[in-house]
Structure formats: structure tokens, C-alpha cells
Amino acid sequence: MRSPKLIHLMGILAMVLSPAWVTLSGLSSVRAQSQPGELLALNFPSAPRNLGGPRSTAGGGVRGNGNDSCIEGESPLTPLMPTHDIVKTVTPNPEFFMYVPKNSADSGEFVIVDGNGNDVYLSTFELSEAPGVVKVSLPANTGLEMGKVYDWQFSLICDPSDRQADVFVQGQIEPTELTEEMQTQLDQAQPLDQVQLYVDQSLWNEAVSLLAQFRNSNPTEWQGLLKYVGLENIASEPLPIQTIGTSQN
């Protein structure tokens, strides 16, 4: 079992920050008419000058002294979601997307911890040799409870005999109920309109998960969304090169 307090203390001491996270609630919804199944263009206005509080995505932290980092090159391990705020989700088994750079890690690990420090989900896995975006898909039986805050952590295990050498990213997520009004809007909306609705409600996991499905057919929209939130350096990376979490250990 892992203590959430311990996880976050390590993060505060070791986490290296990457580009600033931008609040997305200012995006306007797309109202154009379309045929069923047609993808509409997302509207990405200029980023506001006042970015508000300390919202950011996080590059990989390293426990201990960080002398044994297994990242090769300058690109950090990066989650495609905020890590300095509690992220809301309307899905009991949400998906997580991580950019995994070229590395020499022995394996990877993804863990979700509840408020009592218990592992709700734990998966260890082999990593692809190629850099790219990895999708962590939680099994249906994970059953995160609505209204509870969970800690998550994605780690590259550089040295199995010394977990202090792990490279990791971490954050918090809280499942929440989808309102009837929001559900009605989603039911009546086309795919990219749905992405816009998720973005307007700060439901980042749902927005990324849905837009990722259309990344190959609508690469401009995917790249535009990541660039808007300061992740232009990974906007063109392969997605997904690997899907993790089809079974629970």
C-alpha cells in the first residue's frame, strides 16, 4: 500500500514542471449545422494573457537524487492532463494518456490509490521501445466511486532493485455525476461538439479520450488542442503506441 501523502511529498520534492497549463473554460461551443456523423471544426481562440493559478502539466520527476534517470534525450515523461488540480471525470473507469519518451526503463507501473492509502488499481507492464503516447485504460471492474478523490501515479521503473530511481508523474482524479442537462447536450451533439462540451466543463479526460479516437482522421484538431494547452512538442507523437490496463494485477 502507498500513502497518498507520501506520493505527493515525493512529487513536491522531485517533480520538474513542463509548459504552463491553460484553463479551457473560455472555449466557445461550436454551433454550426452538420450532417449525422460529420466532424465539426473545433474553435481554438487565442490563449488568454492571464492564466490564473498554478495549473500545469508535469514532466517526469525522479525519486532520490535523480542520478539514475533512464530517460534518453531531453523530452520528459508527460501526462496529457493537469496535475496541479483535482481533475473531474464523469467516467468510473477513465482513460489516462501519457507521453513516454525514449527510455531504458526495465518496465512501467500505473497505480491508483484511495483516500486511505489502499491500492485500488495496480498494473505493471513492459514498455514499447518507441517513444509515443501510451493509453492507460482502466478495467470496467475498477469501479472508482463518485465523489471520492483518488491519487494516480505513472512510473518508469529504471531499476527494479532501487525504486528511488523511478521516473514518474502523478495527479488526482475525482469521478463526478454527469448532469441531466449535460447528458442531453451530449446525446444531441456530433463528435467534435461533444469534445467542445467536455472542454467547456473542464472534463479533460473525456475530451482527450474522445478526440484521440479521431486523431488519424482529424490530426489538425488533435494538434490544435495540445498546442493550445502548451503541449505542442508532443502534438505530433504517435498515438497510442501501446494500450495498458486490460487486466488488473
Side-chain angles (χ1 to χ4, degrees):
M1 293 187 295
R2 295 168 173 78
S3 167
K5 293 183 179 179
L6 178 58
I7 288 179
H8 288 289
L9 178 59
M10 292 186 297
I12 292 172
L13 293 175
M15 194 171 290
V16 179
L17 299 180
S18 66
W21 183 265
V22 179
T23 302
L24 297 177
S25 58
L27 288 177
S28 59
S29 298
V30 178
R31 300 298 181 222
Q33 298 296 318
S34 65
Q35 299 299 319
E38 180 182 353
L39 292 177
L40 303 177
L42 287 175
N43 180 25
F44 298 107
S46 299
R49 294 181 179 179
N50 182 8
L51 303 184
R55 298 170 181 265
S56 68
T57 55
V62 183
R63 299 189 179 93
N65 295 323
N67 296 325
D68 297 320
S69 172
C70 52
I71 296 292
E72 300 177 1
E74 298 181 357
S75 298
L77 175 64
T78 307
L80 276 62
M81 61 188 295
T83 58
H84 276 25
D85 291 294
I86 298 174
V87 174
K88 302 286 187 178
T89 179
V90 292
T91 306
N93 55 329
E95 295 178 331
F96 298 78
F97 290 81
M98 310 284 164
Y99 171 68
V100 180
K102 185 177 181 181
N103 66 87
S104 58
D106 180 80
S107 57
E109 178 185 83
F110 183 79
V111 62
I112 294 181
V113 180
D114 66 17
N116 295 319
N118 300 313
D119 291 349
V120 175
Y121 176 76
L122 174 64
S123 178
T124 56
F125 43 86
E126 298 301 316
L127 291 165
S128 171
E129 295 181 358
V133 177
V134 169
K135 180 175 73 173
V136 179
S137 183
L138 300 185
N141 64 355
T142 304
L144 301 184
E145 296 184 38
M146 294 292 173
K148 291 190 176 181
V149 177
Y150 297 85
D151 296 273
W152 62 263
Q153 184 167 288
F154 185 101
S155 303
L156 303 181
I157 303 175
C158 300
D159 182 355
S161 64
D162 180 14
R163 295 300 302 273
Q164 292 300 310
D166 285 7
V167 175
F168 67 94
V169 287
Q170 59 189 3
Q172 291 183 302
I173 194 164
E174 179 184 358
T176 188
E177 295 286 352
L178 188 64
T179 65
E180 292 185 7
E181 180 182 3
M182 180 70 169
Q183 184 64 68
T184 299
Q185 290 178 322
L186 289 170
D187 290 342
Q188 297 174 350
Q190 297 301 316
L192 288 190
D193 277 327
Q194 293 176 350
V195 174
Q196 195 82 66
L197 287 168
Y198 286 135
V199 165
D200 290 342
Q201 296 299 317
S202 299
L203 296 172
W204 181 247
N205 283 58
E206 283 74 13
V208 172
S209 294
L210 181 55
L211 190 55
Q213 297 178 30
F214 304 104
R215 186 266 175 84
N216 290 335
S217 58
N218 290 72
T220 300
E221 307 304 336
W222 174 261
Q223 293 177 13
L225 181 58
L226 293 193
K227 288 179 180 179
Y228 184 68
V229 296
L231 295 178
E232 60 272 17
N233 58 320
I234 63 174
S236 299
E237 292 290 341
L239 166 76
I241 59 169
Q242 187 177 1
T243 298
I244 297 161
T246 55
S247 62
Q248 188 164 5
N249 293 345

